[in-house]
Amino acid sequence: MSMTFYGERGLVNSIILDMGTDIEKQKKFLKTIKFSDNYEPTWIADTVKVDFIFEPSLSQFGNPSLIIIAEEKFLQRHVIFVEARICSYNDASEKLNVSLLPNSYKGVANKLNIKLALMYRFAKAYNSMKEDSVVEVTNAASKLYHDVARTLKKPSMIKLCIEHFGYNPDFLFVALTNDPMDVIPFKNKKFLPAIGVTSWHTERKSFGLISYAMLEDKNIVDKTKGYYHVAKRNFL
């Protein structure tokens, strides 16, 4: 039996399958991510367990390509949202205005920097969740993001999030792109994650980028064999 993965989601699936249950390779994946301001998470070395959720539906917050849950030996959980594209970060993103927000959300919800922003907004709403729904405060959404308040109310998805994330986890937001190895993430201010000037200045270390070239360079995937090899050949 053979399995061939295709498209952006197929590339993501192939990378995870090729890493398998190798915790050292999973940790190497996390260490390879380039975070803003050269931030290097110190908790990765203490990670003892890594789980994956593929393309969950978070309702009005969108469908991330992948969610990685890394758990330390002290039970602290780190939740990494990953959004994948087959082109460069800038080419996949929406040009922002001086407020680091889009002029309109109409027709741009699938742009990479908008998707990262929606994951960030989900995380904020999740950590202030009350009762059985993840809901943004209407006034805050309008003021901070110039957008309507977004919600997730599906009980089964909220249960899944709580089971995997726990309460008050550390959230991170990562773009998986076709940029070169030497890419400097978020260098062009016009294409930053669309979370507004104030939020970017205070929380930019939570955003990172990893590319297919970086994964190949670190031997996390093999471009000559495995599921990734076939997915890359068919789509990249």
Side-chain angles (χ1 to χ4, degrees):
M1 182 184 74
S2 65
M3 291 188 293
T4 300
F5 295 100
Y6 188 80
E8 290 167 343
R9 302 301 185 257
L11 281 164
V12 171
N13 293 348
S14 71
I15 291 167
I16 304 306
L17 281 174
D18 280 352
M19 287 196 296
T21 58
D22 187 335
I23 186 67
E24 294 305 317
K25 190 167 284 190
Q26 294 167 349
K27 288 160 72 171
K28 185 185 285 189
F29 178 100
L30 297 172
K31 290 178 181 177
T32 302
I33 299 169
K34 291 184 178 181
F35 286 98
S36 184
D37 284 1
N38 295 314
Y39 168 61
E40 296 183 6
T42 58
W43 50 264
I44 296 176
D46 294 323
T47 298
V48 296
K49 180 183 178 183
V50 179
D51 291 325
F52 304 96
I53 303 175
F54 294 89
E55 201 174 2
S57 175
L58 301 179
S59 188
Q60 295 177 352
F61 293 99
N63 306 346
S65 303
L66 176 72
I67 301 177
I68 303 172
I69 304 97
E71 186 173 310
E72 294 182 56
K73 56 188 175 184
F74 305 111
L75 301 183
Q76 171 65 35
R77 294 178 187 176
H78 305 270
V79 179
I80 304 99
F81 288 97
V82 179
E83 188 62 31
R85 292 293 184 274
I86 58 167
C87 56
S88 72
Y89 175 86
N90 288 350
D91 286 346
S93 296
E94 175 71 8
K95 186 176 180 180
L96 305 181
N97 57 35
V98 294
S99 299
L100 297 187
L101 295 169
N103 292 321
S104 169
Y105 285 88
K106 185 176 181 179
V108 301
N110 201 43
K111 293 289 188 176
L112 182 50
N113 57 340
I114 306 299
K115 291 288 290 282
L116 291 176
L118 289 175
M119 297 302 99
Y120 168 85
R121 290 168 57 180
F122 170 84
K124 289 295 183 184
Y126 180 87
N127 276 342
S128 59
M129 179 172 55
K130 297 179 180 179
E131 298 180 352
D132 57 354
S133 60
V134 179
V135 182
E136 287 187 303
V137 177
T138 300
N139 292 341
S142 177
K143 181 180 179 180
L144 294 174
Y145 314 117
H146 300 175
D147 191 21
V148 297
R150 296 176 184 252
T151 64
L152 169 63
K153 295 184 177 181
K154 188 175 181 180
S156 60
M157 182 53 64
I158 292 173
K159 180 181 178 182
L160 179 72
C161 289
I162 293 172
E163 288 175 349
H164 283 83
F165 303 169
Y167 293 95
N168 294 311
D170 172 40
F171 283 105
L172 299 165
F173 315 93
V174 174
L176 171 60
T177 68
N178 204 15
D179 282 288
M181 285 190 302
D182 59 354
V183 62
I184 300 175
F186 315 117
K187 184 178 180 180
N188 191 329
K189 305 305 180 186
K190 295 179 181 178
F191 299 108
L192 292 175
I195 61 174
V197 174
T198 300
S199 295
W200 176 252
H201 284 319
T202 58
E203 308 218 37
R204 58 184 179 272
K205 290 182 180 180
S206 297
F207 291 85
L209 182 147
I210 190 169
S211 72
Y212 304 110
M214 292 156 61
L215 292 172
E216 293 174 12
D217 180 65
K218 296 295 184 180
N219 295 317
I220 297 167
V221 293
D222 191 331
K223 61 183 178 181
T224 66
K225 62 183 180 180
Y227 294 112
Y228 174 77
H229 159 66
V230 177
K232 178 181 179 179
R233 181 190 65 198
N234 290 334
F235 201 65
L236 278 184

